[in-house]
PDB file of all heavy atoms in Angstrom:
ATOM      1  N   LEU A   1      90.776  48.560  25.336  1.00 98.00           N
ATOM      2  CA  LEU A   1      91.400  49.849  25.054  1.00 98.00           C
ATOM      3  C   LEU A   1      92.817  49.814  25.596  1.00 98.00           C
ATOM      4  O   LEU A   1      93.046  49.410  26.745  1.00 98.00           O
ATOM      5  CB  LEU A   1      90.599  50.974  25.701  1.00 98.00           C
ATOM      6  CG  LEU A   1      90.816  52.386  25.154  1.00 98.00           C
ATOM      7  CD1 LEU A   1      90.352  52.481  23.701  1.00 98.00           C
ATOM      8  CD2 LEU A   1      90.070  53.406  26.007  1.00 98.00           C
ATOM      9  N   HIS A   2      93.783  50.231  24.782  1.00 98.00           N
ATOM     10  CA  HIS A   2      95.210  50.137  25.111  1.00 98.00           C
ATOM     11  C   HIS A   2      95.871  51.470  24.785  1.00 98.00           C
ATOM     12  O   HIS A   2      95.632  52.036  23.713  1.00 98.00           O
ATOM     13  CB  HIS A   2      95.825  49.012  24.274  1.00 98.00           C
ATOM     14  CG  HIS A   2      97.167  48.547  24.717  1.00 98.00           C
ATOM     15  ND1 HIS A   2      98.306  49.328  24.639  1.00 98.00           N
ATOM     16  CD2 HIS A   2      97.570  47.354  25.232  1.00 98.00           C
ATOM     17  CE1 HIS A   2      99.343  48.639  25.079  1.00 98.00           C
ATOM     18  NE2 HIS A   2      98.930  47.440  25.444  1.00 98.00           N
ATOM     19  N   ASP A   3      96.672  51.994  25.700  1.00 97.00           N
ATOM     20  CA  ASP A   3      97.280  53.316  25.482  1.00 97.00           C
ATOM     21  C   ASP A   3      98.721  53.256  24.990  1.00 97.00           C
ATOM     22  O   ASP A   3      99.434  54.268  24.990  1.00 97.00           O
ATOM     23  CB  ASP A   3      97.202  54.154  26.755  1.00 97.00           C
ATOM     24  CG  ASP A   3      98.055  53.608  27.889  1.00 97.00           C
ATOM     25  OD1 ASP A   3      98.684  52.533  27.718  1.00 97.00           O
ATOM     26  OD2 ASP A   3      98.090  54.239  28.964  1.00 97.00           O
ATOM     27  N   GLY A   4      99.161  52.070  24.548  1.00 93.00           N
ATOM     28  CA  GLY A   4     100.531  51.926  24.080  1.00 93.00           C
ATOM     29  C   GLY A   4     101.468  51.449  25.158  1.00 93.00           C
ATOM     30  O   GLY A   4     102.558  50.950  24.875  1.00 93.00           O
ATOM     31  N   SER A   5     101.049  51.579  26.416  1.00 93.00           N
ATOM     32  CA  SER A   5     101.829  51.074  27.554  1.00 93.00           C
ATOM     33  C   SER A   5     101.130  49.930  28.267  1.00 93.00           C
ATOM     34  O   SER A   5     101.773  49.066  28.840  1.00 93.00           O
ATOM     35  CB  SER A   5     102.096  52.203  28.560  1.00 93.00           C
ATOM     36  OG  SER A   5     102.855  53.232  27.969  1.00 93.00           O
ATOM     37  N   GLY A   6      99.803  49.937  28.240  1.00 95.00           N
ATOM     38  CA  GLY A   6      99.069  48.894  28.936  1.00 95.00           C
ATOM     39  C   GLY A   6      97.599  48.926  28.589  1.00 95.00           C
ATOM     40  O   GLY A   6      97.095  49.889  27.984  1.00 95.00           O
ATOM     41  N   VAL A   7      96.897  47.874  28.968  1.00 97.00           N
ATOM     42  CA  VAL A   7      95.462  47.768  28.733  1.00 97.00           C
ATOM     43  C   VAL A   7      94.732  48.597  29.780  1.00 97.00           C
ATOM     44  O   VAL A   7      94.919  48.410  30.982  1.00 97.00           O
ATOM     45  CB  VAL A   7      95.006  46.294  28.796  1.00 97.00           C
ATOM     46  CG1 VAL A   7      93.491  46.191  28.659  1.00 97.00           C
ATOM     47  CG2 VAL A   7      95.683  45.483  27.698  1.00 97.00           C
ATOM     48  N   LEU A   8      93.879  49.509  29.331  1.00 98.00           N
ATOM     49  CA  LEU A   8      93.141  50.383  30.236  1.00 98.00           C
ATOM     50  C   LEU A   8      91.820  49.757  30.685  1.00 98.00           C
ATOM     51  O   LEU A   8      91.370  49.988  31.809  1.00 98.00           O
ATOM     52  CB  LEU A   8      92.857  51.725  29.554  1.00 98.00           C
ATOM     53  CG  LEU A   8      94.077  52.494  29.047  1.00 98.00           C
ATOM     54  CD1 LEU A   8      93.629  53.789  28.382  1.00 98.00           C
ATOM     55  CD2 LEU A   8      95.055  52.768  30.189  1.00 98.00           C
ATOM     56  N   ALA A   9      91.191  48.998  29.803  1.00 98.00           N
ATOM     57  CA  ALA A   9      89.911  48.365  30.134  1.00 98.00           C
ATOM     58  C   ALA A   9      89.637  47.270  29.108  1.00 98.00           C
ATOM     59  O   ALA A   9      90.102  47.345  27.966  1.00 98.00           O
ATOM     60  CB  ALA A   9      88.778  49.380  30.130  1.00 98.00           C
ATOM     61  N   GLU A  10      88.882  46.259  29.533  1.00 97.00           N
ATOM     62  CA  GLU A  10      88.549  45.152  28.639  1.00 97.00           C
ATOM     63  C   GLU A  10      87.169  44.628  28.962  1.00 97.00           C
ATOM     64  O   GLU A  10      86.722  44.646  30.122  1.00 97.00           O
ATOM     65  CB  GLU A  10      89.557  44.006  28.773  1.00 97.00           C
ATOM     66  CG  GLU A  10      89.237  42.814  27.868  1.00 97.00           C
ATOM     67  CD  GLU A  10      90.088  41.588  28.147  1.00 97.00           C
ATOM     68  OE1 GLU A  10      90.730  41.537  29.212  1.00 97.00           O
ATOM     69  OE2 GLU A  10      90.098  40.679  27.302  1.00 97.00           O
ATOM     70  N   SER A  11      86.470  44.145  27.928  1.00 97.00           N
ATOM     71  CA  SER A  11      85.192  43.466  28.094  1.00 97.00           C
ATOM     72  C   SER A  11      85.219  42.195  27.261  1.00 97.00           C
ATOM     73  O   SER A  11      85.722  42.203  26.131  1.00 97.00           O
ATOM     74  CB  SER A  11      84.030  44.362  27.627  1.00 97.00           C
ATOM     75  OG  SER A  11      82.818  43.641  27.598  1.00 97.00           O
ATOM     76  N   ARG A  12      84.687  41.107  27.828  1.00 95.00           N
ATOM     77  CA  ARG A  12      84.577  39.862  27.060  1.00 95.00           C
ATOM     78  C   ARG A  12      83.337  39.109  27.502  1.00 95.00           C
ATOM     79  O   ARG A  12      83.160  38.831  28.676  1.00 95.00           O
ATOM     80  CB  ARG A  12      85.815  38.974  27.224  1.00 95.00           C
ATOM     81  CG  ARG A  12      85.726  37.716  26.371  1.00 95.00           C
ATOM     82  CD  ARG A  12      87.027  36.951  26.306  1.00 95.00           C
ATOM     83  NE  ARG A  12      87.454  36.450  27.592  1.00 95.00           N
ATOM     84  CZ  ARG A  12      88.413  35.535  27.746  1.00 95.00           C
ATOM     85  NH1 ARG A  12      89.052  35.066  26.689  1.00 95.00           N
ATOM     86  NH2 ARG A  12      88.757  35.118  28.942  1.00 95.00           N
ATOM     87  N   GLN A  13      82.466  38.803  26.546  1.00 95.00           N
ATOM     88  CA  GLN A  13      81.269  38.015  26.787  1.00 95.00           C
ATOM     89  C   GLN A  13      81.237  36.888  25.765  1.00 95.00           C
ATOM     90  O   GLN A  13      81.406  37.123  24.567  1.00 95.00           O
ATOM     91  CB  GLN A  13      80.012  38.881  26.653  1.00 95.00           C
ATOM     92  CG  GLN A  13      79.927  40.000  27.683  1.00 95.00           C
ATOM     93  CD  GLN A  13      78.850  41.000  27.326  1.00 95.00           C
ATOM     94  OE1 GLN A  13      79.082  41.936  26.557  1.00 95.00           O
ATOM     95  NE2 GLN A  13      77.668  40.813  27.878  1.00 95.00           N
ATOM     96  N   VAL A  14      81.007  35.672  26.221  1.00 94.00           N
ATOM     97  CA  VAL A  14      80.992  34.512  25.330  1.00 94.00           C
ATOM     98  C   VAL A  14      79.552  34.158  24.998  1.00 94.00           C
ATOM     99  O   VAL A  14      78.804  33.694  25.853  1.00 94.00           O
ATOM    100  CB  VAL A  14      81.721  33.311  25.963  1.00 94.00           C
ATOM    101  CG1 VAL A  14      81.668  32.104  25.027  1.00 94.00           C
ATOM    102  CG2 VAL A  14      83.171  33.672  26.275  1.00 94.00           C
ATOM    103  N   ASP A  15      79.169  34.409  23.748  1.00 92.00           N
ATOM    104  CA  ASP A  15      77.822  34.108  23.268  1.00 92.00           C
ATOM    105  C   ASP A  15      77.883  34.088  21.744  1.00 92.00           C
ATOM    106  O   ASP A  15      77.905  35.138  21.101  1.00 92.00           O
ATOM    107  CB  ASP A  15      76.816  35.146  23.757  1.00 92.00           C
ATOM    108  CG  ASP A  15      75.372  34.732  23.490  1.00 92.00           C
ATOM    109  OD1 ASP A  15      75.140  34.016  22.494  1.00 92.00           O
ATOM    110  OD2 ASP A  15      74.490  35.118  24.267  1.00 92.00           O
ATOM    111  N   ALA A  16      77.898  32.897  21.173  1.00 85.00           N
ATOM    112  CA  ALA A  16      78.121  32.753  19.734  1.00 85.00           C
ATOM    113  C   ALA A  16      76.992  33.296  18.879  1.00 85.00           C
ATOM    114  O   ALA A  16      77.168  33.474  17.672  1.00 85.00           O
ATOM    115  CB  ALA A  16      78.345  31.278  19.399  1.00 85.00           C
ATOM    116  N   ARG A  17      75.832  33.586  19.472  1.00 89.00           N
ATOM    117  CA  ARG A  17      74.675  33.999  18.678  1.00 89.00           C
ATOM    118  C   ARG A  17      74.301  35.473  18.850  1.00 89.00           C
ATOM    119  O   ARG A  17      73.305  35.916  18.288  1.00 89.00           O
ATOM    120  CB  ARG A  17      73.463  33.135  19.041  1.00 89.00           C
ATOM    121  CG  ARG A  17      73.667  31.664  18.730  1.00 89.00           C
ATOM    122  CD  ARG A  17      72.424  30.851  19.042  1.00 89.00           C
ATOM    123  NE  ARG A  17      72.628  29.445  18.757  1.00 89.00           N
ATOM    124  CZ  ARG A  17      72.482  28.876  17.561  1.00 89.00           C
ATOM    125  NH1 ARG A  17      72.106  29.634  16.539  1.00 89.00           N
ATOM    126  NH2 ARG A  17      72.682  27.594  17.386  1.00 89.00           N
ATOM    127  N   ARG A  18      75.075  36.240  19.617  1.00 92.00           N
ATOM    128  CA  ARG A  18      74.653  37.608  19.921  1.00 92.00           C
ATOM    129  C   ARG A  18      75.759  38.636  19.670  1.00 92.00           C
ATOM    130  O   ARG A  18      75.809  39.675  20.317  1.00 92.00           O
ATOM    131  CB  ARG A  18      74.163  37.696  21.366  1.00 92.00           C
ATOM    132  CG  ARG A  18      72.964  36.814  21.655  1.00 92.00           C
ATOM    133  CD  ARG A  18      72.578  36.906  23.126  1.00 92.00           C
ATOM    134  NE  ARG A  18      72.199  38.272  23.487  1.00 92.00           N
ATOM    135  CZ  ARG A  18      72.408  38.809  24.686  1.00 92.00           C
ATOM    136  NH1 ARG A  18      73.051  38.115  25.631  1.00 92.00           N
ATOM    137  NH2 ARG A  18      72.006  40.038  24.952  1.00 92.00           N
ATOM    138  N   HIS A  19      76.627  38.367  18.711  1.00 93.00           N
ATOM    139  CA  HIS A  19      77.708  39.301  18.430  1.00 93.00           C
ATOM    140  C   HIS A  19      77.181  40.704  18.133  1.00 93.00           C
ATOM    141  O   HIS A  19      77.700  41.703  18.638  1.00 93.00           O
ATOM    142  CB  HIS A  19      78.546  38.819  17.239  1.00 93.00           C
ATOM    143  CG  HIS A  19      79.314  37.572  17.499  1.00 93.00           C
ATOM    144  ND1 HIS A  19      78.780  36.320  17.314  1.00 93.00           N
ATOM    145  CD2 HIS A  19      80.585  37.375  17.929  1.00 93.00           C
ATOM    146  CE1 HIS A  19      79.690  35.405  17.607  1.00 93.00           C
ATOM    147  NE2 HIS A  19      80.795  36.022  17.988  1.00 93.00           N
ATOM    148  N   GLY A  20      76.139  40.780  17.288  1.00 91.00           N
ATOM    149  CA  GLY A  20      75.608  42.072  16.898  1.00 91.00           C
ATOM    150  C   GLY A  20      74.989  42.845  18.046  1.00 91.00           C
ATOM    151  O   GLY A  20      75.054  44.073  18.088  1.00 91.00           O
ATOM    152  N   GLU A  21      74.382  42.132  18.993  1.00 94.00           N
ATOM    153  CA  GLU A  21      73.762  42.786  20.143  1.00 94.00           C
ATOM    154  C   GLU A  21      74.779  43.257  21.175  1.00 94.00           C
ATOM    155  O   GLU A  21      74.585  44.280  21.831  1.00 94.00           O
ATOM    156  CB  GLU A  21      72.800  41.822  20.841  1.00 94.00           C
ATOM    157  CG  GLU A  21      71.594  41.403  20.029  1.00 94.00           C
ATOM    158  CD  GLU A  21      70.780  40.375  20.795  1.00 94.00           C
ATOM    159  OE1 GLU A  21      70.467  40.627  21.965  1.00 94.00           O
ATOM    160  OE2 GLU A  21      70.479  39.312  20.229  1.00 94.00           O
ATOM    161  N   LEU A  22      75.853  42.498  21.330  1.00 96.00           N
ATOM    162  CA  LEU A  22      76.758  42.728  22.447  1.00 96.00           C
ATOM    163  C   LEU A  22      77.924  43.666  22.146  1.00 96.00           C
ATOM    164  O   LEU A  22      78.490  44.265  23.059  1.00 96.00           O
ATOM    165  CB  LEU A  22      77.330  41.383  22.929  1.00 96.00           C
ATOM    166  CG  LEU A  22      76.316  40.367  23.455  1.00 96.00           C
ATOM    167  CD1 LEU A  22      77.008  39.040  23.756  1.00 96.00           C
ATOM    168  CD2 LEU A  22      75.620  40.896  24.700  1.00 96.00           C
ATOM    169  N   LEU A  23      78.299  43.799  20.869  1.00 97.00           N
ATOM    170  CA  LEU A  23      79.549  44.494  20.566  1.00 97.00           C
ATOM    171  C   LEU A  23      79.519  45.979  20.914  1.00 97.00           C
ATOM    172  O   LEU A  23      80.399  46.474  21.632  1.00 97.00           O
ATOM    173  CB  LEU A  23      79.920  44.303  19.097  1.00 97.00           C
ATOM    174  CG  LEU A  23      81.249  44.950  18.673  1.00 97.00           C
ATOM    175  CD1 LEU A  23      82.400  44.433  19.521  1.00 97.00           C
ATOM    176  CD2 LEU A  23      81.512  44.717  17.194  1.00 97.00           C
ATOM    177  N   LEU A  24      78.546  46.719  20.423  1.00 97.00           N
ATOM    178  CA  LEU A  24      78.542  48.170  20.668  1.00 97.00           C
ATOM    179  C   LEU A  24      78.382  48.516  22.150  1.00 97.00           C
ATOM    180  O   LEU A  24      79.082  49.411  22.652  1.00 97.00           O
ATOM    181  CB  LEU A  24      77.473  48.847  19.829  1.00 97.00           C
ATOM    182  CG  LEU A  24      77.777  48.896  18.321  1.00 97.00           C
ATOM    183  CD1 LEU A  24      76.632  49.565  17.578  1.00 97.00           C
ATOM    184  CD2 LEU A  24      79.090  49.605  18.045  1.00 97.00           C
ATOM    185  N   PRO A  25      77.501  47.841  22.905  1.00 97.00           N
ATOM    186  CA  PRO A  25      77.472  48.101  24.348  1.00 97.00           C
ATOM    187  C   PRO A  25      78.810  47.816  25.023  1.00 97.00           C
ATOM    188  O   PRO A  25      79.190  48.502  25.976  1.00 97.00           O
ATOM    189  CB  PRO A  25      76.375  47.165  24.851  1.00 97.00           C
ATOM    190  CG  PRO A  25      75.466  46.976  23.680  1.00 97.00           C
ATOM    191  CD  PRO A  25      76.384  46.962  22.496  1.00 97.00           C
ATOM    192  N   ALA A  26      79.524  46.803  24.529  1.00 97.00           N
ATOM    193  CA  ALA A  26      80.837  46.495  25.098  1.00 97.00           C
ATOM    194  C   ALA A  26      81.824  47.632  24.833  1.00 97.00           C
ATOM    195  O   ALA A  26      82.637  47.988  25.692  1.00 97.00           O
ATOM    196  CB  ALA A  26      81.370  45.193  24.525  1.00 97.00           C
ATOM    197  N   VAL A  27      81.766  48.207  23.635  1.00 98.00           N
ATOM    198  CA  VAL A  27      82.635  49.352  23.319  1.00 98.00           C
ATOM    199  C   VAL A  27      82.332  50.509  24.261  1.00 98.00           C
ATOM    200  O   VAL A  27      83.238  51.145  24.819  1.00 98.00           O
ATOM    201  CB  VAL A  27      82.455  49.780  21.849  1.00 98.00           C
ATOM    202  CG1 VAL A  27      83.194  51.094  21.582  1.00 98.00           C
ATOM    203  CG2 VAL A  27      82.950  48.695  20.904  1.00 98.00           C
ATOM    204  N   ASP A  28      81.042  50.787  24.465  1.00 97.00           N
ATOM    205  CA  ASP A  28      80.650  51.874  25.372  1.00 97.00           C
ATOM    206  C   ASP A  28      81.164  51.630  26.788  1.00 97.00           C
ATOM    207  O   ASP A  28      81.667  52.552  27.456  1.00 97.00           O
ATOM    208  CB  ASP A  28      79.117  52.001  25.406  1.00 97.00           C
ATOM    209  CG  ASP A  28      78.564  52.628  24.141  1.00 97.00           C
ATOM    210  OD1 ASP A  28      79.341  53.267  23.399  1.00 97.00           O
ATOM    211  OD2 ASP A  28      77.359  52.474  23.879  1.00 97.00           O
TER     212      ASP A  28
END
């Protein structure tokens, strides 16, 4: 999440087989 001045928060998980499981929880 970026407010135009800087990054407010970030999530990154490396797992090539679980994109569908991990994306929405990461957004939350």
Side-chain angles (χ1 to χ4, degrees):
L1 200 64
H2 195 292
D3 67 357
S5 298
V7 176
L8 303 179
E10 179 189 15
S11 171
R12 183 169 63 166
Q13 297 167 275
V14 179
D15 190 330
R17 298 183 181 276
R18 299 177 61 212
H19 293 87
E21 295 176 50
L22 298 174
L23 182 57
L24 289 179
V27 171
D28 286 342

